[in-house]
Each structure stands twice: as structure tokens, then as C-alpha cells.
Amino acid sequence: MQRYTEVLTNFENLKNKNSYKAKMVDDLSLIRNIGFVAHIDAGKTTTTERILFHTGKIYKMGEVDDGNTVTDWMIQERERGITITSAATYCKWREFNINIIDTPGHIDFTVEVERSLKVLDGVVVILCGVGGVEPQTETVWHQADKYQVPRIAFVNKLDRQGADFFAVIEEMKRKLNTIILPIQLPIYKETELVGVVNIITQKAIYFEGDYGANVLEVQVPNDLKHLTLKYYDDMIEKLATLDDTIMNKFVNGQIIKEDEIIATIRKFVISNTLVPVLCGSALKNKGIQTLLDAICSFLPSPSDVGPIRGFYKETEEIQTREVSILSPFCALCFKVFTDPFVGKLFYCRVYCGKVENSATVYNSTKQETERISKIVRMHANKQEIINEAKAGDIVCFIGLKNTTTGDTLCDENHPIVLEKMQFPEPVVSVAVEPKTKADQDKLFSALKKLEEEDPSFKVLYNRETGQNIISGMGQLHLEIMVDRLLREFNVSAKTGKPQVAYKETITKHVEATGKFIQQTGGRGQYGHVVFIMEPIQKGKGIVFENKIKGGIIPKEFIPAIKDGVMKASVSGVLGGYPVVDIKVTLIDGSYHEVDSSELAFEIAAQTAFREGLMKGNSIILEPIMKIEIMVPVEQISSVIGDLNSRRAKINSISDRKKLKLITASVPLVEVFNYADIIRNLTQGRGSYTIEPLYYEKVPEELVVKILGAR
């Protein structure tokens, strides 16, 4: 962490010093691509707002409760006081250019966290000083583990009554499975948070004046000297166990310099070995400048992350590419958003090389060329046109036609396909219908645009009922989408009662045959396939494998067979639910030299697939949710009794201050409208969070009821 050497007494000078017109630097070591992740209401948006203010990017701070923050710019976000879509912005601190993504904390919008983590080099995990390691904190932590994103932690809201920094540290050690390294301690004057202790420098830092703009570094107060020394010794011991140089100096009693400590912490943050923890209060402007210093000192630059990995589409041969402006151009589109004024915005992380306005690039995922008409740098919903984008930048391209989330854009002479992004499956569905005849034509088009933006939002037309079915991650997710239909696309729609998004699968290994033979007097149709179908691991979806040899079926018909399988999997044989977790192996078949066509083989594949479902003892699967409920001790019995009546499995019960935390797994269908239930059971004192876990077989006694309702 960079040490303050002077008191910044004039905030206007600070703002003028840091205000700048966005410009890109060739030195990747001075770029930080970071995000803020946390449980809902931990203070991500407030922290982002303070950082933008203290770096001079904005000159007036907004408040979440007032609905006027920069990154919560959507009407729905300002009305509800929550973040719904991840917002990109940027600022400059000292000589560093920082690209920031503020992500949602609500589980219904977890896809926004997922795709942001895919392209970020580091994250700041924000924890509430009162709530500690809350359920969604663990979820985003595991998401960061999945993408191996280095992180630092900021314990926020230490100004609130009941906040306990040391209890949060102990909870992090128990729950987060990594080395937790406090590098700051809070300083209180009676009950007011006034500053922090920098354990590395063993100095006290106070934030004074308007908005905490004057940063004063002085000696640690006498009552905190012993505690500071204890945490300093603990820090050195932890670093010594990881680093031989620190160990030798520690054993031999040599002085370990501040810059050595900082460099060592940085090394092990980048390797995902440890997580330094800072503290403060974003709302009260305590600890923001030191957090900025930590972001620059500890989190990696684009070049620290190492070469990117991808493959050649034709051969699937793995290749790597250096993260450098000198490498051939390569970028990943991680988000698509429809702007009412400029059309689609394609959020992209540029990993290698550079690209200019009006350039033609190659979409290696879809194997077609695209033209970039404009490049813009985003400041939430505001756009600044720039001439070029370089390695390390997070920007938006305008003018692309066929690019979607997860596609790779690159130099056509140096093609590479980056690793695909994985998104969770929707768990809740509703039927949506236009309110008027005039809305009918616009509805499906608008829904498709929303589906292109959000990979966790699915749209399906049910031919049997003539309804549009939309599916998402929760009731709030679908509520927001329907609200956006009206506000952004001027389409009035009404929805039915939320339904569980059931799935179907088979339970045994079967062989299935499909034939499509049609004679019409002229050229006919002929397609014949034989499949082996078998259940596979949960979450694998539909896997297709071709084992045809010797030209029994010409290779030009194989893609059509695969398409037939995928189309047939949209609707199963029991209740018409999507089919998942089946491996389909093409082992035999035949063709006619004149009559065979792609259409014939596609229909034959659909026929065989449906036969396999009927032979394979199909079952219905239901989504199982992880639910965590915070309840007062005196009401725990009634809550547990209610959970047992809902087919819940209690996994653990733990203490959280004067409350009890119940962790359980429960079928989603049993906890619709659970907010009302928990409110009634606890006289309004209980709260809960819920997230998808996995799909599991529906008990036999409930299948008839489900199919009857269907």
C-alpha cells in the first residue's frame, strides 16, 4: 500500500489533480481491471460512488437511498435501491488507470457477476461489518475461485451499531478457505469510526474535512499500539511461512522494509494464496483513499495475469497468446446491452493488440467478419467515443451484427477462440401475453432482444398453448424483465402465476431408431439414424457424439442430425419440459443417394430422440435451492417445523450474534412466496436468501400432480 507522505488539505486540488480526459496507456502495469462483489446491501454501489468522487471522476456523490448514484442508473434500480445490471466505469488514481465494474448482489442477477468475473483481473470483496460473511458473499467468493480471480477484502459499514471487525475476520477464516491477512484496524473515538491503522507502516490514518478528503498520517494511539504490534507480528509470521526471503529476515531478526512487505503481499495475492483485508465506512468516507492505494498496490495488472488460453476452431488445438499491445488483436464480448438511442452495445475486454474505429474484425466463434463502427468507453450509461482500444481496456463496440455474449473477436490472420462462458440454468418460468392486439407483434421481438442481453433469461413459444414462456433465475428477475418490456420497448404485457422450471431426463441406457421416409412422386425424403442414449452427470446438458465410420451416413448430414437432437431436447415426452443430462451417440443409420437431405436426417434424429425418451424411463427433475434463514432464537422451532413440512433437508444451524442461521436445501416449488411465510413465522424479524443448487428427481407421489397441472 502506498504510504501517504503529506496531508492533502485542499480537496479541490485533489480533484483537479485526478480529473482527466480518458486516455489509454501503453504501460499495462498501470492498468487495473477490477470489480466490486458482495452480498446484497453490503455497500458495493456506495463504495463505487465514493471512489469516483475521490478520484475526481464525479463532483457530487449520490446515495443509493436517494436513487441518484452513477452506476445504478436504470429506473428499476433507482426505484428498488438495488443493483440489477453490472455497470462499467473508469477513473484514475495517481498514475493508475482503473476500470471498474459494479456488480449486483441479488442472486437473481448472478449472471452479471459471472460474466464480469470472467474478464476482470481482480476484485474487491465487500463485507458488511455487521452481517459478516453473508450467504451471497460465499457465492461470489466461490465464483471468484472458479475463475481464479485475485481479490482483496474491504470490511464496510464499521460506523453502524453492532459492527465488529474482528468477528468478521474470524468468520472469514472459518468460511472462506484461504489465508486471511488483516492489514488495517479500525480506530474509534468513543462509538464513532474516525480512521484506520495501517498495520504495514504501523501508522494511524485519519480522514478529516469535507467528505474525508484530508488524509492525515500520524502515530498510532496509545490504546491501539499493543494490538497493532500483535497484528503486525501475525502478518510477518504468515508471510514468512510463504516466502523464504521474509523467513530468513524474520529468523535472523533483520528489518523487513515496507516495500518488501507490500511486494510479498502482492505476489501472493496474484497467486491467489492470500487475501489482505482493509476496513472503513464508504458511507462516511472513511478508508476510501487507502482502499484505492490497496487496489493499485496489490491487485494485478493485465500483464500480471499471464498469457490467455484459447484454441483453433478448426483443430481445437490449444494455443496461448501474450497479453500485450504488440500481440495480434483479441477480445472477448462478455455482455450485450440494447441502448434505446445507439442500438446494441457490445461490452468487450481487449486482451491483446489494438483495434481502431471502423475496423473489420473476425468473430472466430461464429467464423464471420464484423465491422466496428464506433468504440466507446462507458461511464455507467454515458458513452465517450474513443479512437482505439488497446490491450487491457474494457470498452464497448458499436455496429456489430451477429456477435453475442461469449464470442471472441480477433485478427482474421491470427484466429483464436477463447474459453466459453458458462451460465446457470433458469429455475422459474411464467407465461407472458400481450395486453393488446397492437402489442402482439412487438412482444416476441422485444423478448428476443432481452434474451440476447441476458444468457440466464430464456424465451420459448409453447405451440400447445400458444403462449410465450419466459424463464429466469427468480421472480424478481422476471418482474424486472416484464417491467423493461413496458419502459424500454413500449410493450404492455401480463404474466401468469410463476411456475417451477422442471426438466426431464432418462434413467437407463437405451438404443433408439428414427426413420423419415416420404415419397411424393418426384424426389422423396430419406433419413435413418440409430442412437445410443444414456444418462450422464448432472449439469452436462445434452452431449452429442458421432461414431459413424465408413461413410454409412455422409458427414455433411451429421450437423443436421445434431440439430435435430437439440431441437427435440427442447420438449420432453412427459410434460413437455426441456430435456437435460443425456449423452446421444450416433452409431448407425443409412442414406439414399438421391432422396436423403438435411431436413430428412433432422426429422429422423428428432424421431429417434423421442423414442429414446420413451424407452429410457423418463423422469421429471425439479430445482433444489440452497436457503439460508436468519431467525431469532425464540422462533427457531416454528421455522424448522415449517421447513420440514416443505420437504427441506436441514444442513446446519449456527449462531450469528443473537440470531440463529439455518442452512437447508429445499425444492423451489415449496418456497414460492417464502418472504410472506418467514415474515409471519417470525413477526417480521426473520430474513432469508435463496440460490439454485442442483436438479433432483421429483418424488413419484408428486409427478401425477405436476403433470395434471401441466
Side-chain angles (χ1 to χ4, degrees), residues 32-38 44-45 47-48 51-52 71 83 85-91 98-104 111-126 334-335 347-349 378 380 393-395:
R32 297 291 180 270
N33 290 317
I34 63 126
F36 294 106
V37 299
K44 297 179 298 301
T45 300
T47 304
T48 305
I51 280 178
L52 294 176
T71 52
T83 301
T85 183
S86 55
T89 185
Y90 61 94
C91 61
I98 306 174
N99 295 312
I100 299 171
I101 297 181
D102 177 27
T103 67
V111 69
E112 293 289 335
V113 181
E114 193 83 16
R115 59 183 171 190
S116 298
L117 288 171
K118 174 69 177 172
V119 299
L120 292 172
D121 299 323
V123 294
V124 179
V125 181
I126 299 178
F334 66 94
K335 178 176 176 174
Y347 285 75
C348 293
R349 163 69 193 269
M378 299 300 295
D393 286 329
I394 294 177
V395 295

Side-chain angles (χ1 to χ4, degrees), residues 174-407:
R174 288 197 313 273
K175 292 185 175 181
L176 299 181
N177 194 32
T178 191
I179 298 173
I180 301 300
L181 188 73
I183 59 171
Q184 288 183 353
L185 301 172
I187 303 174
Y188 287 95
K189 186 177 181 180
E190 296 179 350
T191 59
E192 181 188 358
L193 179 73
V194 292
V196 299
V197 172
N198 183 337
I199 296 172
I200 297 172
T201 63
Q202 298 185 63
K203 295 287 185 181
I205 299 172
Y206 294 93
F207 306 90
E208 300 177 343
D210 293 340
Y211 310 113
N214 299 337
V215 181
L216 179 65
E217 186 180 79
V218 296
Q219 295 299 316
V220 174
N222 290 332
D223 60 335
L224 285 176
K225 282 184 177 177
H226 179 74
L227 188 64
T228 301
L229 187 59
K230 174 185 178 299
Y231 272 87
Y232 178 85
D233 290 341
D234 289 346
M235 176 182 68
I236 296 299
E237 285 181 23
K238 284 180 181 176
L239 295 178
T241 61
L242 299 171
D243 185 83
D244 290 342
T245 303
I246 299 292
M247 174 63 83
N248 290 334
K249 289 196 171 188
F250 176 68
V251 170
N252 295 317
Q254 297 176 0
I255 294 174
I256 302 171
K257 297 178 181 177
E258 292 168 19
D259 58 354
E260 290 180 286
I261 296 173
I262 292 168
T264 304
I265 293 174
R266 175 179 172 78
K267 178 172 72 173
F268 290 110
V269 168
I270 292 172
S271 68
N272 263 312
T273 306
L274 61 77
V275 175
V277 185
L278 297 90
C279 61
S281 166
L283 185 65
K284 297 296 177 66
N285 293 286
K286 309 293 185 187
I288 298 302
Q289 296 95 322
T290 50
L291 175 59
L292 278 161
D293 282 339
I295 287 168
C296 298
S297 295
F298 300 131
L299 290 178
S301 70
S303 53
D304 289 323
V305 180
I308 57 167
R309 286 170 57 86
F311 61 92
Y312 290 112
K313 185 103 175 181
E314 298 294 329
T315 62
E316 297 196 354
E317 176 190 346
I318 298 294
Q319 62 167 316
T320 59
R321 190 164 291 178
E322 288 297 322
V323 176
S324 166
I325 293 172
L326 301 177
S327 298
F329 169 70
C330 175
L332 180 71
C333 176
F334 66 94
K335 178 176 176 174
V336 180
F337 192 84
T338 303
D339 184 280
F341 302 105
V342 300
K344 286 184 181 178
L345 295 168
F346 298 85
Y347 285 75
C348 293
R349 163 69 193 269
V350 182
Y351 287 100
C352 309
K354 61 182 180 179
V355 66
E356 298 178 347
N357 275 324
S358 303
T360 298
V361 295
Y362 183 61
N363 184 325
S364 55
T365 307
K366 294 191 168 60
Q367 296 185 304
E368 54 189 44
T369 57
E370 293 266 38
R371 184 176 175 276
I372 299 170
S373 61
K374 275 193 287 189
I375 304 173
V376 296
R377 191 184 288 276
M378 299 300 295
H379 177 47
N381 61 330
K382 295 180 174 60
Q383 302 150 20
E384 177 188 350
I385 298 174
I386 56 178
N387 294 323
E388 64 178 5
K390 298 180 182 180
D393 286 329
I394 294 177
V395 295
C396 279
F397 296 146
I398 297 173
L400 307 180
K401 300 298 182 187
N402 299 314
T403 297
T404 54
T405 300
D407 285 359

